[in-house]
Amino acid sequence: MNEILHIYHTNDIHSHFENWPKIRHFLQRKKEQHARNNEEMLLFDLGDHVDRCHPYTEGTMGKANVRLLNELGYLAATIGNNEGITMPHDALDTLYQEAQFDIILANLYDDNFKRPKWTVPRKIYTTKGGVRIGVTGVTAPFYKLYRLLGWQISNPLKELETQIDFLKKQADIIVVLSHLGIHEDLIVAKLYPEVDLILGGHTHHVLEKGETDGQTLLAAAGKYGYYLGHVKLEIDLGAKKIVHRSARALPTGNFQEPHDEASEIEHYYFEGKKLLDKKLVYLPETLESDWFRDNCLAGLLCEAVMEWCGADCAFLNAGLVLGSLEQGPVTKFDLHRILPHPINPCLIELTGAQLQEVLLATLDPKWPHLELKGLGFRGKIMGQFVYRSIQFNHALRKIYINGQTVAPDRIYKLGTIDMYTFGNFFPHIREAEIHYFMPEFLRDVLEWKLVELYKVRP
């Protein structure tokens, strides 16, 4: 006799709630269908469900996302880097207080190298037919950033070795919830052939019909809820072995739309707006944003970053600022609207010669219209670069910092944004001594500067 097991999985939703009603409606119908057919159904999330770019997530510090997972009856989840390194320590530590599902995460510890009370490194679930499904989970190891937030992250491959050694003695089928990315998942499949199934995320890859590596099936469902992952396993109950398996990434654009979809999506947005409706300052005039010319708002943000970091100079791209701040009261929602990015300020130490190369590179005409995705950027294009305490004399081919010619051997402190340290923008920045300021985002730094300059009108 064989048992049919359906495993559904989401990953990298990034608070794209516009796709959530369709996913929920589809899964609710599948749950009923599988129950009628006496088939098992398990539901997992692989991290980055939370993304503070959405006002509802920001206003609840991710707890709204957890409630949505609860409503659908998720069995377990692991965390992604958006849960792990874009939230203050206490916010992550309390994120899952109301979770009605397991958080399976083997490679996260607190500063005392103890696992958080809200995680387990592995879990064994037993189907109606008595098949033991062993599940473990790991997340991408951003070592330095986790340390700055009061966490310790360990090597996920070494942690998997420990968990898989245990599970292969106790479980019939081994599943890994991975927020490592496709390249690491392929390594896991080669290192640990005992693993039957890797459900993957982080690199936003889509495996439309799954991918097999040895005895291991890999499945992944892209990003933003554009796909829903479905794995079907047929298990011989006598041998407790998989006899047939398949994986699909189902396009959610093909799913039936629930009748109240538009109002639900709108509800999430306006609930978030309401939660963020806290007046911060009163502006006597409009602060305008422009991606292609000098403007006061991007300049003010650049100045704020320089001061926040204690830097000699600063630069950033104007495309970070997605809109203007109108004359009148400014709320937390307004700052979130124009700076939705999970981007932190940082301080870079460079020699004068290195700094000069970086600054000359910012003058490349390719930048202003360059479309950019990932690296925390939630805008559309880079826009031109904006500078503080940096002057160019193009006629003399000289650069000045605070009115002084750049000295090649002097060490300068550059205030900028962490995005440039992750991407292939400026090699010298990636290779330099970097100090990240966390957990503050750019909107927090701009709020600090605005409060310093302006007052709230009663």
Side-chain angles (χ1 to χ4, degrees):
M1 183 177 177
N2 294 344
E3 181 176 49
I4 303 298
L5 175 61
H6 296 274
I7 298 175
Y8 292 92
H9 54 99
T10 52
N11 63 274
D12 298 279
I13 295 292
H14 284 278
S15 294
H16 275 256
F17 298 134
E18 67 271 18
N19 293 314
W20 193 252
K22 285 198 293 285
I23 291 173
R24 187 192 65 245
H25 185 62
F26 178 88
L27 286 171
Q28 286 171 338
R29 290 189 297 114
K30 285 298 179 181
K31 188 177 294 186
E32 294 168 1
Q33 176 189 323
H34 297 321
R36 285 195 305 270
N37 295 336
N38 199 31
E39 296 172 342
E40 288 272 352
M41 174 177 163
L42 308 180
L43 185 53
F44 298 108
D45 185 77
L46 310 176
D48 277 5
H49 193 284
V50 167
D51 193 319
R52 290 175 59 188
C53 69
H54 196 288
Y56 196 33
T57 298
E58 177 77 351
T60 63
M61 272 295 163
K63 290 184 171 62
N65 299 67
V66 173
R67 289 196 290 269
L68 294 176
L69 295 173
N70 283 343
E71 288 169 7
L72 264 177
Y74 273 73
L75 182 64
T78 196
I79 73 166
N81 44 288
N82 270 264
E83 287 91 0
I85 58 175
T86 72
M87 302 184 74
H89 184 283
D90 289 346
L92 176 57
D93 208 28
T94 59
L95 175 61
Y96 298 104
Q97 280 180 334
E98 299 175 9
Q100 297 165 14
F101 51 90
D102 297 315
I103 312 301
I104 302 179
L105 181 59
N107 66 321
L108 181 72
Y109 299 86
D110 64 20
D111 269 346
N112 297 316
F113 283 94
K114 293 182 179 179
R115 285 197 170 90
K117 59 183 180 297
W118 43 272
T119 68
V120 292
R122 62 183 177 268
K123 190 74 180 277
I124 296 177
Y125 303 97
T126 304
T127 70
K128 293 174 185 175
V131 179
R132 297 166 301 173
I133 311 294
V135 183
T136 186
V138 282
T139 196
F142 291 91
Y143 297 103
K144 183 174 182 178
L145 302 183
Y146 273 101
R147 282 198 302 271
L148 288 170
L149 291 168
W151 301 105
Q152 298 292 334
I153 201 84
S154 62
N155 185 306
L157 299 181
K158 289 184 178 179
E159 290 286 359
L160 282 176
E161 181 178 5
T162 300
Q163 303 310 320
I164 291 167
D165 278 347
F166 178 90
L167 290 174
K168 68 185 180 183
K169 300 168 189 173
Q170 302 291 327
D172 303 306
I173 294 171
I174 298 176
V175 178
V176 173
L177 310 182
S178 167
H179 197 85
L180 300 180
I182 183 60
H183 302 296
E184 296 296 310
D185 288 349
L186 290 168
I187 291 172
V188 171
K190 285 181 168 56
L191 287 176
Y192 308 111
E194 309 95 324
V195 173
D196 296 285
L197 175 62
I198 299 173
L199 303 177
H202 184 49
T203 44
H204 299 179
H205 52 291
V206 180
L207 301 179
E208 292 184 1
K209 294 184 179 180
E211 186 171 316
T212 303
D213 192 297
Q215 298 302 308
T216 305
L217 175 64
L218 294 88
K223 64 178 182 179
Y224 302 167
Y226 295 152
Y227 294 88
L228 173 68
H230 175 219
V231 174
K232 183 179 179 181
L233 303 179
E234 185 175 346
I235 305 166
D236 183 324
L237 290 181
K240 302 290 177 65
K241 297 291 184 181
I242 298 171
V243 295
H244 185 266
R245 57 187 177 172
S246 64
R248 294 183 299 162
L250 307 172
T252 58
N254 297 337
F255 290 0
Q256 180 182 346
E257 297 177 3
H259 73 277
D260 58 348
E261 179 182 46
S263 61
E264 182 179 342
I265 294 168
E266 190 176 78
H267 167 77
Y268 296 142
Y269 182 82
F270 284 105
E271 277 297 302
K273 182 177 182 181
K274 190 189 306 179
L275 290 165
L276 297 175
D277 188 27
K278 178 188 175 184
K279 291 185 177 63
L280 301 171
V281 296
Y282 185 92
L283 294 183
E285 58 186 3
T286 295
L287 299 180
E288 292 190 356
S289 170
D290 191 305
W291 298 339
F292 303 113
R293 62 181 176 84
D294 289 340
N295 64 91
C296 55
L297 194 48
L300 187 62
L301 176 61
C302 191
E303 184 177 318
V305 166
M306 183 177 72
E307 293 176 6
W308 184 272
C309 297
D312 300 312
C313 57
F315 74 79
L316 48 79
N317 57 297
L320 287 164
V321 184
L322 304 190
S324 302
L325 292 176
E326 301 298 324
Q327 177 186 10
V330 174
T331 66
K332 280 188 172 290
F333 174 78
D334 294 320
L335 295 187
H336 185 274
R337 172 180 56 81
I338 67 167
L339 291 167
H341 327 275
I343 290 177
N344 306 100
C346 65
L347 185 71
I348 315 289
E349 293 189 19
L350 298 168
T351 65
Q354 291 170 331
L355 177 61
Q356 185 155 297
E357 280 192 44
V358 169
L359 293 175
L360 288 173
T362 66
L363 301 177
D364 192 315
K366 72 180 181 182
W367 293 119
H369 293 278
L370 181 69
E371 293 185 9
L372 183 64
K373 295 180 181 179
L375 305 173
F377 188 62
R378 300 293 184 261
K380 295 181 179 179
I381 59 173
M382 285 283 286
Q384 75 168 39
F385 281 95
V386 177
Y387 309 90
R388 280 296 178 270
S389 297
I390 298 169
Q391 301 84 34
F392 296 90
N393 187 321
H394 299 289
L396 297 177
R397 300 177 63 83
K398 286 189 176 182
I399 300 175
Y400 304 91
I401 305 298
N402 288 310
Q404 300 290 319
T405 305
V406 172
D409 297 326
R410 177 183 162 184
I411 300 297
Y412 291 89
K413 295 179 179 180
L414 171 69
T416 190
I417 59 175
D418 65 4
M419 183 174 80
Y420 305 146
T421 72
F422 303 135
N424 296 313
F425 297 95
F426 311 107
H428 285 311
I429 284 182
R430 292 196 65 175
E431 298 160 4
E433 182 71 25
I434 304 167
H435 177 69
Y436 296 100
F437 289 82
M438 301 178 75
E440 296 85 8
F441 290 159
L442 293 180
R443 55 181 172 268
D444 301 310
V445 176
L446 183 59
E447 175 183 331
W448 165 77
K449 185 64 177 176
L450 290 172
V451 169
E452 183 183 79
L453 293 175
Y454 306 99
K455 294 181 179 179
V456 178
R457 177 176 291 184

